[in-house]
Amino acid sequence: MRVVIAEDHTLLRDGLTRLLQAFDFEVVAAVDNGPALLPALVEHRPDVAVIDVRLPPTFTDEGLQAAIAARSQMPGLPTLMLSQHVEPLYARELLGSPHGGVGYLLKDRVSNIGEFVDAVRRVAGGGTAMDPEVISQLLARREPLAVLTLREREVLGEMAEGRSNAAIAVKLCITEKAVSKHINNILAKLDMPPSDDDNRRVRAVLAYLNA
């Protein structure tokens, strides 16, 4: 699986490179600034890109803007964003894409190697990998979600993190039948057509959060 990495801190960039190589990823490019990122993505067309939101020269949103530009040229380019802080505006802009294969993780919370590698693979496969804190802040900023019950909000948060019905049932200690019922209620209340496809379902939720 081919990967492009964008990270300005040398130790972290080298660490990510060595880590992913140890799990049989092929790192085809590792850049340290915004201007170099888009050309690298277009040239290599990787299976997944792991990108820091803030890159030189301005350390604002170069990484995010390059990712959005790349996904406009290569729809569905799997992209996992890394950030020091929760930045809901940036998250909404990226997650508003109708295509899957997106993730947003906080660097300080990426402490479990197995979970991080799983997140990279999930995004590469067209799924989502969302930090719970990012999801929490996105949900908290949406007044229309007042129509949902507390349990439905919990299920929605788990959906947005990319979990399957079975995984949600285990996490919330309820039955899969109850999860399906909650999801149908959520989709109905948010005026979204229900779907058996997990990725389409998550993208619908994220698109709503971006609206």
Side-chain angles (χ1 to χ4, degrees), residues 24-45:
D24 297 324
F25 291 88
E26 179 187 359
V27 178
V28 293
V31 302
D32 63 0
N33 64 84
L37 177 54
L38 181 57
L41 293 173
V42 173
E43 176 185 353
H44 295 286
R45 296 180 176 268

Side-chain angles (χ1 to χ4, degrees), residues 42-124:
V42 173
E43 176 185 353
H44 295 286
R45 296 180 176 268
D47 297 304
V48 61
V50 179
I51 302 171
D52 188 359
V53 168
R54 298 186 174 189
L55 292 171
T58 68
F59 294 98
T60 54
D61 62 353
E62 285 92 344
L64 175 80
Q65 293 304 328
I68 293 172
R71 284 172 65 89
S72 70
Q73 295 185 39
M74 298 171 284
L77 172 68
T79 306
L80 175 60
M81 304 303 301
L82 300 178
S83 180
Q84 291 284 7
H85 311 285
V86 179
E87 301 174 86
L89 178 62
Y90 295 159
R92 286 194 183 95
E93 190 170 357
L94 176 68
L95 300 174
S97 166
H99 305 288
V102 293
Y104 193 113
L105 301 179
L106 297 181
K107 290 182 180 179
D108 291 344
R109 296 165 63 94
V110 181
S111 58
N112 185 301
I113 292 177
E115 290 181 1
F116 174 71
V117 172
D118 177 67
V120 176
R121 286 179 173 150
R122 196 186 319 153
V123 170

Side-chain angles (χ1 to χ4, degrees), residues 159 163-165 180 183-184 187 192-204:
M159 287 167 58
R163 288 192 171 88
S164 66
N165 285 15
S180 295
I183 290 174
N184 287 335
L187 293 172
M192 294 181 181
S195 170
D196 293 330
D197 182 88
D198 285 339
N199 291 335
R200 281 186 58 200
R201 178 184 67 183
V202 173
R203 291 200 298 272

Side-chain angles (χ1 to χ4, degrees), residues 159-180:
M159 287 167 58
E161 286 186 47
R163 288 192 171 88
S164 66
N165 285 15
I168 294 173
V170 172
K171 180 74 178 294
L172 300 181
C173 299
I174 56 179
T175 65
E176 284 191 55
K177 183 177 180 180
V179 172
S180 295

